[in-house]
């Protein structure tokens, strides 16, 4: 029944490692997002995909690479992890209405992945 | 681009009191304003939203008001309860994509504590 799911929920790793976070939504939405929430709770958008096409790419280091194999999945790969990458990463989805169905604008968030880089 | 400012950053009230959180935005073209609630360790969840064709919207104990001229909108929670304790985020859209808003700019959040 989970609408937006992410794995893993927790990720502890050392500096310099490469890691991936996976996201899946079963809402039939056409758009998915990655957000970063830092220790001060500030929510900042990183990437957005619409029907597997990248439509938002904020000023994010190129160590971060999103991939959308289909419109229900959006993964985030991070190379050469740094201490400053420690945060909670949220996946979200919404319906922008690009496939004929009307837009709804509400963004549904996944449970988050708490990444700790040591 | 869109800029959203949110005040206060923390708010402490007694159970039963009202709480008000205010946000201002910069892009006069924005016309969709959601509010999200994030409980400790949980995901942000939409609690109410408003479009620019109305000035106020209510849902039980929560309401949102919008002043387009002044470019600010507010969340009002009446008869607060301990379970209202959470971080609340306002947001405004930054760009329109094929009829929907693909980019939301979030305020910095307000940590609301309701004391029994």
């Amino acid at each position: 029944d989970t609408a937006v799911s992410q794995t893993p929920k927790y990720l502890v790793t050392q500096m310099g490692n490469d890691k991936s976070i996976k996201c899946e939504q079963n809402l039939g939405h056409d758009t998915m997002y990655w957000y970063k929430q830092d220790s001060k709770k500030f929510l900042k958008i990183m990437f957005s995909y619409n029907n597997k096409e990248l439509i938002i790419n904020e000023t994010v280091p190129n160590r971060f690479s999103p991939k959308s194999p289909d419109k229900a999945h959006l993964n985030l790969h991070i190379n050469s992890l740094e201490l400053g990458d420690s945060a909670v990463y949220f996946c979200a989805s919404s319906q922008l209405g690009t496939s004929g169905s009307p837009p709804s604008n509400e963004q549904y968030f996944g449970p988050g992945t708490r990444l700790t880089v040591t | 681009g869109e800029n959203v400012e949110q005040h206060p950053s923390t708010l402490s009230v007694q159970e039963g009191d009202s709480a008000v959180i205010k946000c201002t935005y910069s892009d006069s073209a924005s016309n969709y304003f959601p509010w999200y609630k994030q409980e400790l360790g949980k995901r942000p969840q939409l609690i109410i939203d408003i479009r620019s064709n109305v000035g106020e919207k209510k849902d039980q104990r929560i309401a949102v008001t919008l002043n387009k001229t002044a470019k600010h909108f507010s969340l009002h929670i009446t008869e607060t309860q301990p379970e209202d304790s959470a971080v609340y985020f306002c947001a405004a859209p930054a760009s329109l994509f094929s009829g929907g808003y693909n980019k939301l700019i979030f305020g910095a959040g307000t940590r609301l504590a309701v004391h029994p």
Side-chain angles (χ1 to χ4, degrees):
Chain A
D1 263 3
T2 306
V4 183
S5 58
Q6 293 178 230
T7 53
K9 192 167 172 61
Y10 300 97
L11 187 51
V12 181
T13 188
Q14 291 184 326
M15 283 174 53
N17 284 348
D18 303 338
K19 290 293 178 187
S20 292
I21 308 171
K22 296 186 175 184
C23 178
E24 176 180 0
Q25 55 97 1
N26 63 6
L27 297 166
H29 287 165
D30 55 19
T31 304
M32 296 183 73
Y33 312 80
W34 278 113
Y35 286 88
K36 179 180 180 181
Q37 186 171 48
D38 60 24
S39 58
K40 294 184 178 177
K41 298 295 186 186
F42 193 64
L43 259 176
K44 188 164 170 30
I45 190 165
M46 301 171 68
F47 301 103
S48 175
Y49 272 75
N50 174 261
N51 288 317
K52 302 193 298 175
E53 183 182 342
L54 183 66
I55 58 172
I56 294 175
N57 185 349
E58 293 294 288
T59 309
V60 177
N62 58 15
R63 298 182 295 104
F64 289 77
S65 52
K67 274 200 172 61
S68 182
D70 55 62
K71 70 176 191 176
H73 295 85
L74 180 60
N75 304 324
L76 183 65
H77 187 77
I78 316 170
N79 288 329
S80 305
L81 279 155
E82 300 177 358
L83 292 176
D85 297 331
S86 295
V88 179
Y89 291 84
F90 285 100
C91 176
S93 73
S94 72
Q95 181 61 23
L96 292 191
T98 51
S99 305
S101 51
S104 77
N105 293 313
E106 177 177 355
Q107 294 193 10
Y108 291 79
F109 284 80
T113 296
R114 182 175 294 278
L115 171 65
T116 304
V117 182
T118 61
Chain B
E2 179 69 273
N3 185 43
V4 178
E5 293 195 1
Q6 183 172 346
H7 299 280
S9 57
T10 59
L11 181 57
S12 184
V13 300
Q14 289 297 124
E15 184 176 0
D17 288 350
S18 295
V20 181
I21 303 169
K22 297 181 179 178
C23 286
T24 60
Y25 61 97
S26 58
D27 187 350
S28 55
S30 294
N31 61 2
Y32 170 70
F33 305 95
W35 284 90
Y36 284 79
K37 176 184 180 183
Q38 186 178 25
E39 295 176 1
L40 188 62
K42 302 279 180 68
R43 72 191 79 192
Q45 289 190 288
L46 180 75
I47 54 170
I48 195 168
D49 56 17
I50 191 169
R51 295 186 183 275
S52 59
N53 56 346
V54 297
E56 184 176 4
K57 183 176 177 181
K58 281 186 182 178
D59 183 2
Q60 299 181 348
R61 294 186 299 107
I62 60 172
V64 56
T65 57
L66 171 65
N67 183 327
K68 282 217 75 175
T69 305
K71 289 192 280 187
H72 65 70
F73 56 112
S74 300
L75 178 71
H76 304 254
I77 306 174
T78 58
E79 300 171 30
T80 52
Q81 299 167 4
E83 51 265 40
D84 295 329
S85 297
V87 179
Y88 291 81
F89 294 95
C90 62
S95 64
L96 192 61
F97 183 89
S98 191
Y101 296 108
N102 64 314
K103 183 173 173 179
L104 288 179
I105 303 299
F106 284 84
T110 296
R111 189 178 299 275
L112 173 65
V114 181
H115 302 285

